[in-house]
Amino acid sequence: MVDFARVQKELQECNRDFEVSGIKVMPKSDANLAHLLGTIPGPLGTPYEGGSFKIDITLPDGYPFEPPKMQFATKVWHPNISSQSGAICLDILKDQWSPALTLKTALLSVQALLSAPEPDDPQDAVVAQQYLRDYPTFMGTARYWTEAFAMTSSLGVEDKVLKLVEMGFPEALVRSTLVSVDGDENMALEKLCSG
Amino acid sequence: MQQQSAIQAEEAEKIPFVGDKEPLSSLAVEYKSGNAILLEKIKVLIKQYAAIRRTRGDGNCFFRSFMFAYLEHILESQDRAEADRITVSVEQCRKTLLSLGYAEFTFEDFFALFLEQLENVFQGSEGSISHDELVQRSRDQSLSDYVVMFFRFVASGEIRKRSEFYEPFIQGLTNTSVEQFCKSMVEPMGEESDHVHITALSEALGVPIRVVYLDRSSCDNGNVIVNHHDFIPSTKGDLTYGNVRGSETLKPFITMLYRPGHYDILYPK
């Protein structure tokens, strides 16, 4: 059984200093605390700057003894993150996990990974090759992906509603879907299409 | 690498977290066609020790052995003074972790669970448990792992708090910082213990520990001696409750058998 009492406390603690860290964790639905959505800001001085990255979090039954499962929901171009699935290669999400860590410290480590890629231990071989062999192109692609996929949230809510309604979805459903994915336009569209 | 650890995990699961008490002769059977020095050493051990209790080789064996041996000692001795003393130490550890910046919710459940077990081994109250129940609890993953993790928190807090003291030992083991050592070799479950972990746990909780070494080392003159090392907490803790312990030398009431890579519990005659 997931220790939900602890998860509740983690959510409170993490969201309390959102103003400082920019890191947020929300339940995907009120009914189930085992499925969460994290948000991290792209670190300054990196091609991810200005982006807001969503991370799908699933808590296994053994949490906090077992590490949380995390993967990027926002597409990102980085040697240690799969450009296809969003899977993350990070030791603390595997054998270096400890119950002394929290969702917030894990997200901080993911954010630090964005600042310090480790191309010699890649998750995405294509990205890692590009990083090592053609750094300028890597930087350009990473920046382009950030602008294309991680910065759409800068649109106002009404703009997003309008855009999605124009695509033919009912307004009430668009609004509730947007709320459920924390305002992420791309994820809302995905959910609307699959729903 | 992954396959290797999977095999190890599978092997480890064949024995419970904490086994039954076995006569020490079972050790001789295990090595019967083995190294001559080891067999000689086992003969020496059999003279001094009556029994062994094996623990699962899952990387937590030191902490798990300590858990069982300590709680068993309290259950058998009903030593309220020792329980009161360690409770003060535990409270100190809690303060240490807070001062190091750990969020309380990350460790409070582990602390509470240990203190609950400590209380439960005293007889005559509603929550009291028998020796059999202590064995059962030690084999119950949800309980046993929580107590192991409690000790990991205690050891990590102690090492970080007195990092200048532990740094040279850590440097001798690995080429990492104190911070990194705690993060990657103390706090994750399944990371094996070394003398740094043992010293830290013994110091932080004020509990002396004897470790008996069963390895192939031998003396030049042909005499077989089984080495042991006593981890005796320094007097720093005694300042707080010196009247309880005075200046007498602490004698370990917990003995462990170390074979390269693994700790079990030993019972003196």
Side-chain angles (χ1 to χ4, degrees), chain B residues 50-111:
Chain B
I52 181 172
R53 190 186 291 275
R54 296 169 200 265
T55 58
R56 184 184 290 183
D58 62 357
N60 298 311
C61 53
F62 165 71
F63 291 111
R64 193 109 48 197
S65 295
F66 182 87
M67 165 186 75
F68 188 85
Y70 186 81
L71 291 173
E72 184 183 46
H73 169 79
I74 299 295
L75 190 143
E76 286 174 349
S77 66
Q78 294 292 297
D79 186 346
R80 179 58 78 175
E82 167 59 20
D84 289 346
R85 189 203 59 73
I86 203 171
T87 302
V88 174
S89 300
V90 170
E91 178 56 21
Q92 275 300 324
C93 297
R94 202 182 69 80
K95 287 184 181 148
T96 299
L97 290 175
L98 283 176
S99 72
L100 289 166
Y102 284 74
E104 192 160 14
F105 68 77
T106 57
F107 61 82
E108 61 188 358
D109 294 350
F110 304 92
F111 275 56

Side-chain angles (χ1 to χ4, degrees), chain B residues 251-263:
Chain B
K251 270 189 64 186
F253 51 80
I254 291 177
T255 307
M256 292 187 199
L257 178 68
Y258 177 75
R259 287 176 279 169
H262 188 67
Y263 297 88

Side-chain angles (χ1 to χ4, degrees), chain B residues 108-246:
Chain B
E108 61 188 358
D109 294 350
F110 304 92
F111 275 56
L113 204 88
F114 170 73
L115 291 173
E116 192 185 315
Q117 304 317 304
L118 181 64
E119 196 46 49
N120 290 166
V121 294
F122 283 100
Q123 303 305 297
S125 76
E126 211 175 296
S128 295
I129 57 168
S130 65
H131 190 276
D132 280 352
E133 282 167 304
L134 178 61
V135 173
Q136 288 315 314
R137 284 190 182 186
S138 303
R139 290 175 182 172
D140 171 357
Q141 179 165 21
S142 58
L143 237 134
S144 201
D145 278 357
Y146 265 80
V147 179
V148 166
M149 190 57 214
F150 161 72
F151 293 131
R152 289 187 177 276
F153 270 115
V154 167
S156 186
E158 161 74 13
I159 294 169
R160 288 173 193 256
K161 184 173 79 171
R162 296 171 66 210
S163 57
E164 71 296 341
F165 172 75
Y166 289 99
E167 196 171 16
F169 300 103
I170 290 169
Q171 293 282 312
L173 276 177
T174 66
N175 198 19
T176 55
S177 66
V178 171
E179 163 90 9
Q180 192 53 42
F181 178 81
C182 289
K183 266 190 182 166
S184 62
M185 301 181 79
V186 184
E187 291 177 5
M189 291 292 285
E191 287 293 331
E192 287 180 12
S193 295
D194 220 304
H195 61 272
V196 175
H197 304 72
I198 306 177
T199 306
L201 191 71
S202 168
E203 287 281 323
L205 294 178
V207 177
I209 303 167
R210 169 166 295 184
V211 177
V212 176
Y213 297 90
L214 179 58
D215 53 28
R216 294 175 183 205
S217 64
S218 63
C219 298
D220 292 337
N221 60 14
N223 286 345
V224 172
I225 296 170
V226 180
N227 294 315
H228 71 260
H229 180 77
D230 288 346
F231 292 83
I232 305 289
S234 62
T235 51
K236 63 159 182 113
D238 289 353
L239 298 174
T240 344
Y241 31 87
N243 50 348
V244 180
R245 293 194 150 181

